Amino acid sequence: MKPSHFLVSVFFLFLAVSTRTLSAQSLQTSTDTLHLTKPQAEKLFLEKNLLLLAERLNIQQSEALVMQARLWPNPSVTVEEVNLWATPNQLSLGEELPPYFSNFGRNRQVAIQLEQVLLTAGKRRKLIAIEEVSRDMSVSYFEELLRNLKVEVRRSLVELQYLQLYQTVFDSQISQIRQLLASYERQATIGNINRAEVVRLKALVLELTNESVDLQKQIHDIQRELIVMLNLPATAYIVLDTADFVPDLARLEGISASSLLDRALSSRPDLVLARQEVTFQNRQLSYQQALRKPDLTLGVNYDRGGNFLKNFVGFGVSVDLPVFNRNQGNIKFAQLGLERAGVLRNDKVKQVEAEVVNSFKNLQTNLSFYNSIDPAYEGELDQLLRSYTTNFRNRNVSMLEYLDFFEAYLDNKRTIITTRKELSQTYEELQYIIGSEL
């Protein structure tokens, strides 16, 4: 190769390496790492989640409707029979009208009527009661949304902790296997070991790296969900503290299914909503029954020059005659709505009872399996792997024995971490089912 070609090749190789390095650095700097604990993440969720902010505005809208229902109907005023000039016939008959003041309004006729609707049968009070229930239902809708979003956030946080812990296991083992691989490559170069063992270690590194990449992709998916729920910048990268991966099991002492059921029946927002729907339909029925009674319209009118009295003041009252329309259809509709709401409420009670019992059983099952694992077992497993690795490096253990144990080690680590994850998830699931914190 000519020296000039060699220099050009070196230049382009350096340029390619520099470009990759700059790209990697720019990718790292464009990501904002955020170290959080689960309580800190949940605090961000409660403060910044956009769906919760929107639902809070819905409560304020309901308050505005209550305020509107408290207002009385406006009076109405009518001005009519205004003449702009006097007719010759009127003047010839001497039917002149005096001015209002000075020379203004001479021979001008006018009629003014003022009316006020009076609601009967407590319609205004009953409409206020309906809107108050609607406001209470908006609060319950918010609490139900919060309950659903909170369990979703907590599940994602537990899943992220699990994936990060499992990723740490793979990173540690990949590092160890690469060290072994470097040592075996040196030994293979001088002919002390078979080249096939080096190839097998390379295959193991490739398998572990592939699984590590899959884990990283799952972490990215969880990160995306949490960024939306916590309303964080798109470039944020969350690193969770794993100290509280396992929930505080002391909270579960003395808890029974019956006590949990009592809490669920009193605090589940969806069950509260079902009861509020019955109240709403009951008040709706009362309001529709009140609508069959006609309202009164009181009026007072003033007529200047419209009859034998030059200045006439009269009073009147009007009322609709409930001959054909007595609101029968709306009353029937409200009666059926009340009956339907009662059926749905009873169905919700049965559903809550079944969910509480099932969730409590699942937690007991996972807790029993978690307690059956010796707390010292994980440390013994790590120590045994280090011992196997040392013996393998010293060729006291064969490749097949080492790989068999290594596979068993990964399976057991996965089982231990998965058991903790499932315990945490069933714990959060139970809190979600009863609608309150344990």
Side-chain angles (χ1 to χ4, degrees):
M1 178 181 293
K2 294 181 180 181
S4 60
H5 291 173
F6 174 76
L7 291 176
V8 171
S9 299
V10 171
F11 171 75
F12 279 110
L13 178 62
F14 173 76
L15 182 62
V17 173
S18 300
T19 303
R20 290 182 180 178
T21 303
L22 290 174
S23 299
Q25 290 177 349
S26 63
L27 181 61
Q28 292 174 355
T29 56
S30 65
T31 301
D32 302 322
T33 302
L34 192 60
H35 294 270
L36 294 173
T37 62
K38 281 201 294 189
Q40 290 173 337
E42 190 165 324
K43 185 173 183 292
L44 282 175
F45 157 73
L46 293 175
E47 293 175 351
K48 302 178 66 175
N49 183 268
L50 295 178
L51 291 178
L52 293 181
L53 293 176
E55 196 63 28
R56 288 190 181 100
L57 293 175
N58 188 44
I59 296 176
Q60 296 179 23
Q61 286 182 307
S62 300
E63 289 282 1
L65 292 179
V66 174
M67 179 182 68
Q68 180 65 33
R70 295 181 185 277
L71 302 178
W72 288 92
N74 288 325
S76 64
V77 61
T78 304
V79 179
E80 56 186 359
E81 299 181 8
V82 178
N83 65 318
L84 301 179
W85 54 82
T87 64
N89 185 45
Q90 178 185 357
L91 297 175
S92 65
L93 294 176
E95 297 177 354
E96 296 186 11
L97 294 174
Y100 294 114
F101 56 87
S102 184
N103 198 36
F104 175 78
R106 182 181 298 276
N107 298 320
R108 297 293 183 265
Q109 179 183 348
V110 66
I112 302 174
Q113 182 175 356
L114 180 66
E115 291 183 333
Q116 174 67 53
V117 176
L118 298 181
L119 301 177
T120 62
K123 294 186 182 71
R124 174 174 166 272
R125 173 175 49 82
K126 292 175 182 179
L127 183 59
I128 293 173
I130 290 176
E131 295 299 341
E132 286 177 342
V133 175
S134 296
R135 176 200 57 200
D136 295 339
M137 292 177 72
S138 296
V139 175
S140 297
Y141 277 124
F142 172 78
E143 292 175 352
E144 176 65 5
L145 175 65
L146 176 61
R147 184 176 78 103
N148 285 283
L149 290 179
K150 183 183 290 186
V151 74
E152 186 177 345
V153 168
R154 290 178 173 180
R155 286 170 181 166
S156 297
L157 292 174
V158 170
E159 185 68 21
L160 182 57
Q161 286 180 317
Y162 164 77
L163 292 173
Q164 288 178 345
L165 284 171
Y166 202 30
Q167 180 75 50
T168 302
V169 173
F170 273 91
D171 291 343
S172 174
Q173 299 315 311
I174 289 173
S175 177
Q176 290 188 26
I177 298 300
R178 281 177 174 168
Q179 292 177 7
L180 281 175
L181 177 60
S183 174
Y184 265 57
E185 283 183 332
R186 289 193 298 268
Q187 294 296 320
T189 301
I190 60 179
N192 289 339
I193 61 173
N194 192 335
R195 189 68 186 176
E197 294 186 353
V198 175
V199 174
R200 185 64 187 90
L201 286 177
K202 285 185 177 181
L204 179 58
V205 170
L206 185 61
E207 292 172 7
L208 294 177
T209 305
N210 183 53
E211 291 194 40
S212 178
V213 168
D214 289 339
L215 283 176
Q216 195 61 48
K217 290 178 181 178
Q218 296 178 49
I219 290 176
H220 292 162
D221 291 338
I222 296 295
Q223 293 278 345
R224 172 181 54 81
E225 295 175 3
L226 287 173
I227 282 173
V228 173
M229 288 188 285
L230 304 185
N231 194 17
L232 296 174
T235 57
Y237 187 85
I238 302 171
V239 177
L240 281 180
D241 184 3
T242 57
D244 56 352
F245 185 43
V246 177
D248 184 7
L249 301 181
R251 298 180 181 179
L252 300 177
E253 296 179 359
I255 291 182
S256 63
S258 59
S259 64
L260 293 175
L261 184 57
D262 291 338
R263 293 175 64 174
L265 293 176
S266 62
S267 60
R268 273 274 292 258
D270 55 344
L271 186 53
V272 173
L273 268 171
R275 296 191 183 109
Q276 289 172 334
E277 181 65 25
V278 174
T279 304
F280 177 83
Q281 294 297 336
N282 191 28
R283 294 185 180 182
Q284 186 72 260
L285 174 60
S286 178
Y287 178 68
Q288 294 299 330
Q289 289 172 337
L291 288 179
R292 66 186 175 188
K293 298 180 180 179
D295 298 324
L296 293 178
T297 302
L298 299 181
V300 56
N301 64 299
Y302 166 73
D303 192 344
R304 182 175 187 262
N307 53 45
F308 68 98
L309 295 177
K310 290 185 178 180
N311 293 290
F312 172 80
V313 178
F315 299 90
V317 61
S318 65
V319 61
D320 292 336
L321 298 179
V323 177
F324 305 109
N325 181 2
R326 296 187 299 278
N327 209 34
Q328 302 95 316
N330 287 332
I331 292 174
K332 184 63 175 179
F333 180 84
Q335 289 172 338
L336 294 174
L338 177 60
E339 184 178 350
R340 178 177 180 273
V343 173
L344 292 177
R345 177 201 55 196
N346 295 337
D347 177 73
K348 179 59 68 175
V349 170
K350 293 296 182 182
Q351 178 182 338
V352 170
E353 291 174 347
E355 288 178 352
V356 170
V357 173
N358 181 68
S359 181
F360 183 64
K361 288 180 180 179
N362 288 338
L363 180 61
Q364 285 182 316
T365 300
N366 287 328
L367 182 60
S368 177
F369 182 49
Y370 172 79
N371 290 331
S372 68
I373 300 176
D374 187 355
Y377 175 65
E378 188 175 10
E380 294 173 354
L381 196 63
D382 293 333
Q383 179 61 38
L384 192 56
L385 178 62
R386 288 191 290 269
S387 176
Y388 259 82
T389 302
T390 301
N391 286 322
F392 178 62
R393 183 180 289 111
N394 297 331
R395 303 191 61 76
N396 295 325
V397 174
S398 68
M399 172 70 74
L400 183 59
E401 290 175 321
Y402 179 73
L403 293 179
D404 285 344
F405 178 78
F406 189 83
E407 183 179 354
Y409 168 83
L410 288 179
D411 289 341
N412 278 265
K413 290 289 284 189
R414 182 189 296 111
T415 299
I416 293 172
I417 300 176
T418 302
T419 300
R420 295 171 181 168
K421 181 187 78 168
E422 291 179 350
L423 179 62
S424 296
Q425 287 182 337
T426 50
Y427 179 84
E428 298 298 344
E429 180 73 16
L430 182 61
Q431 292 192 121
Y432 167 75
I433 291 299
I434 64 175
S436 62
E437 304 291 322
L438 291 172

